[in-house]
Amino acid sequence: MTNQKNPKFFTKKVASLGDFLFKNLAAVMAASALALLLIIGYELASGSGSVIRTFGADFFVGTQWVPNEGREIYGALPYLLGTIASSGLALLFGVPLSIGIAVFLVEMSPRALRVPISYLVELLAAVPSVIYGLWGLFVFRFILVDYIEKPLNTYFGWIPIFGGPTPIGLDLFTASVVLAIMIIPTVASVTKEVVAAVPNSIREGAYSIGATKWEVIRHWVLSYGRSGIFGAVILGLGRAVGETMAVAMLIGNAQGAAAIPTSLFAPSQTMASLIANGFLEAAPGSLQISAYIGVGLILLIMSLSINLGARVMVTKVLKVKGGAVE
Amino acid sequence: MKSKYVIIGAVVLAIILVTSVAAYTFLSTPSEPIVRINGAGATFPYPLLDEIMTVYSNEVKPNVQVNYQSIGSGGGISALNTKTVDFGASDAPLTAAEASNITNALHIPETIGAVTITYNIPGVSTGLKLTGQVIADIFQGTITKWNDNAIQSLNPDITLPDQTITVVHRSDGSGTTFVFTSYLKQSSTAWSAAIGAGKSVSWPTGVASIGNTGVAQTVSTTSYSIGYVELAYTIENNMPVAAVQNPSGSFVMPTLASTTAAAQSGAAGLPAGDASWTGVNLLNTAASDAYPIVTFSYIIVYKELSNIPDMTQEKATALVQFLWYIVHDGQELAPELEYAPLPSNVVQLNEATIASIIFNGQTLPTN
């Protein structure tokens, strides 16, 4: 009120000061994300120095993991393979379901069902992972063992991926199915937004040339939104790769060569679960700590490559002609 | 207009909050200033320590508050090493390397643990007998069937099934694993040569679960399985446990009594509190009623408490008195929580150790 005489000057000055502050504040925040990643990368690299110096390339391609003092050998390959197998299987089980949910909600669901179902799906994301782990451990694994694992193992045990001794439910398969359930809310809700964002003119055009509902969804809607759906899948993959607690409770936590995934119904181990299991009790400053940090470094590199790969995939491979995607 | 009410409401709320906090602080301020002692370490003694801490603050010294974080033995030793806690707790004594970092550390055994062999054989709910050699062979994967001659010949009264044994072990690093593998190392030359002992080792076979609870749950839900679990868990969950042969040839069930017996028998050879405890264990003690897989759990403190940066005379005295309470009155709380109480000869050893704690070179009153 005091500056009534020259309101223009006043507002201009404040606005430019505000702009200046906001711009720089935003820049600092953006830089902090990058700085954080660099610090994490540096810490992991320096922390894993001693294990990489000791074992060289064997740390990345070795299969033995012997943590007791005096005979230490660390090789991270089985857990890298275990991570790829469990998250790959989780996508295999979870993505078709998620796309189905999304397409149903947007294209087919009666209005009355749309909100409650999408609410329920999003609610799945709010369940803490340790709850999924406990539920898997106490309830779900027995269903899987009795109705899927044991029959497949008994009748198709001659196929290597179903082979091995009688399954008990603490294995790659159980962990992957629970992981699949955990990524459904992420993948489904992003896919839902992508499908909903497909312009109605596309659908109307397709119907007008005589396409059936299935053809419209298959050839126009999903195709139009495929880079967005791919992005949703990558988000899900990110969650599956980094998931710790639920996996550690369900995967059977095999060590060394035994952790290399050969059968769906045998115990395995992922990088995240290995770290969660062993890090707390490892002696500070020891080679063992360095080995866990080294596994963390591999995990970080893997996550970064997935994201970079996804970016390349979206911009180069999935680009649809006519600017439909971009 | 709305915002006016919001502001009035916020002011009223703030006044209420400030006055209540102030009132609470004034009313609850005790006559003596509160002394806070911080500890961290092993998860195994946590329920017992928690109970002792609560009783101590409620009934003995209302002005002393003890805070214990059960972050694991390794974490406790590391916190003691960086001097961020006043005492650490560990299921294993300091290794030579750890002892070289934490100079002048005192070991105070505060409770005793036993590792039980629990099993799930449909039709066999009790009475299984095992030897150290057989347990090692099972966990190494050289004995794979329950009706293997080595097991069957120890159990002539039981008909064991022709089923594959599912071995269950810990996935996380753990003092329980350290004790169990140390026992297997003593019992079997093959285990000693191929695997050895440690808080986590390279298990050649089986599935792994997190924590005592996880192993107990996996064994109890998996037919024809075998696992190792801390005594308190098997007592609480009423799980079948094997009698294990001790050096005098008798098969002993794991109980609080047979655990204390092992400590009583093993106490004769214990070092002084300020000596090196590396390698000390209560495995295979000589007494005929002692269970063979037994261990101390330790509280570890600096002998010279002024090593800890924010230590004061009051705090040092409070810590010494609290330690004294743990090894005396605190032991009476143990059996109710399924912990084995310390035998009198270990209590005597601890008395000498606690009395030797100093602050700036001066000894401290123990009560």
Side-chain angles (χ1 to χ4, degrees), chain B residues 109 112 259-273 277 280-287 290 294-296 298 341-350 353:
Chain B
I112 320 163
T259 304
T260 299
Q264 172 108 36
S265 168
L270 291 178
W277 283 61
V280 167
N281 63 61
L282 295 174
L283 303 171
N284 287 320
T285 52
V294 175
T295 180
F296 280 130
Y298 303 91
L342 295 172
S344 57
N345 49 1
V346 177
V347 174
Q348 278 162 19
L349 177 75
N350 283 337
T353 309

Side-chain angles (χ1 to χ4, degrees), chain A residues 65-69 71 137-138 141-142 165-166 168 170 245 248-249 251-255 258 267 269 276-278 280-284 288 292, chain B residues 71-75 78 95 98 166 169 171-174 192-203 206-210 217-218 221-222:
Chain A
W65 189 274
V66 186
N68 30 345
E69 242 178 300
R71 30 177 119 200
L137 190 63
F138 287 96
R141 87 176 154 106
F142 301 110
T166 313
I168 65 163
L170 294 173
M245 251 355 254
M249 291 165 93
I251 202 164
N253 300 309
Q255 272 193 350
Q269 177 96 280
N277 275 317
L280 206 59
E281 282 286 340
Q288 193 185 357
Y292 289 121
Chain B
I71 54 174
S73 299
S78 138
T95 63
E98 288 162 348
T166 301
H169 52 83
S171 61
D172 48 337
S174 136
S192 174
I195 295 149
K199 285 176 186 169
S200 55
V201 298
S202 57
W203 298 97
V207 296
S209 295
I210 306 168
Q217 201 269 344
T218 305
T221 55
T222 308

Side-chain angles (χ1 to χ4, degrees), chain A residues 25 105 161:
Chain A
L25 206 66
L105 286 177
I161 59 161

Side-chain angles (χ1 to χ4, degrees), chain B residues 46-327:
Chain B
Y46 174 65
L48 177 63
L49 286 176
D50 188 48
E51 178 75 8
I52 295 177
M53 273 149 38
T54 312
V55 172
Y56 192 69
S57 289
N58 287 346
E59 293 169 17
V60 188
K61 295 268 176 166
N63 68 319
V64 175
Q65 282 187 359
V66 188
N67 167 32
Y68 181 78
Q69 296 172 20
S70 58
I71 54 174
S73 299
I77 291 171
S78 138
L80 191 67
N81 190 14
T82 54
K83 297 172 180 152
T84 49
V85 292
D86 305 313
F87 69 91
S90 170
D91 292 340
L94 296 181
T95 63
E98 288 162 348
S100 68
N101 289 329
I102 304 173
T103 48
N104 251 331
L106 300 177
H107 286 74
I108 303 166
E110 96 282 23
T111 188
I112 320 163
V115 179
T116 64
I117 311 300
T118 180
Y119 56 91
N120 179 347
I121 312 173
V124 184
S125 56
T126 176
L128 188 71
K129 292 176 190 167
L130 296 170
T131 63
Q133 179 69 52
V134 167
I135 298 168
D137 288 348
I138 293 172
F139 277 83
Q140 206 173 347
T142 37
I143 293 177
T144 56
K145 294 271 187 183
W146 276 111
N147 65 349
D148 190 290
N149 210 25
I151 310 177
Q152 188 66 74
S153 62
L154 294 172
N155 298 280
D157 310 337
I158 302 174
T159 317
L160 289 162
D162 179 19
Q163 292 283 349
T164 306
I165 304 174
T166 301
V167 169
V168 185
H169 52 83
R170 290 282 288 269
S171 61
D172 48 337
S174 136
T176 311
T177 302
F178 175 78
V179 175
F180 181 62
T181 51
S182 302
Y183 173 71
L184 297 186
K185 190 180 162 189
Q186 278 196 9
S187 307
S188 153
T189 48
W191 183 278
S192 174
I195 295 149
K199 285 176 186 169
S200 55
V201 298
S202 57
W203 298 97
T205 182
V207 296
S209 295
I210 306 168
N212 279 304
T213 340
V215 172
Q217 201 269 344
T218 305
V219 171
S220 61
T221 55
T222 308
S223 296
Y224 310 110
S225 62
I226 190 168
Y228 60 95
V229 178
E230 181 59 50
L231 176 62
Y233 290 83
T234 42
I235 296 180
E236 272 164 29
N237 300 319
N238 238 336
M239 300 177 70
V241 288
V244 182
Q245 193 178 38
N246 68 15
S248 56
S250 32
F251 288 91
V252 181
M253 288 294 282
T255 60
L256 297 185
S258 66
T259 304
T260 299
Q264 172 108 36
S265 168
L270 291 178
D274 59 352
S276 163
W277 283 61
T278 307
V280 167
N281 63 61
L282 295 174
L283 303 171
N284 287 320
T285 52
S288 66
D289 57 346
Y291 184 70
I293 322 174
V294 175
T295 180
F296 280 130
S297 185
Y298 303 91
I299 285 180
I300 301 173
V301 291
Y302 285 99
K303 181 173 184 160
E304 172 55 81
L305 287 177
S306 58
N307 271 334
I308 312 266
D310 64 342
M311 186 60 71
T312 60
Q313 182 80 30
E314 291 76 48
K315 202 169 156 183
T317 310
L319 176 58
V320 164
Q321 291 176 350
F322 176 60
L323 293 174
W324 190 266
Y325 182 82
I326 291 178
V327 302

Side-chain angles (χ1 to χ4, degrees), chain A residues 31 34 60 78 81 83 158 193 204 218 220 236 245 252 302 304:
Chain A
L34 185 67
F60 301 99
L81 298 177
T83 305
W158 46 272
E193 298 307 322
E204 282 155 10
R218 165 77 185 77
W220 278 275
M245 251 355 254
M302 185 177 167
L304 288 180

Side-chain angles (χ1 to χ4, degrees), chain A residues 104-124:
Chain A
F104 174 77
L105 286 177
V106 179
E107 304 284 333
M108 293 164 217
S109 164
R111 260 178 203 290
L113 276 182
R114 197 167 296 166
V115 174
I117 291 185
S118 39
Y119 181 69
L120 284 177
V121 169
E122 275 154 27
L123 205 64
L124 282 178

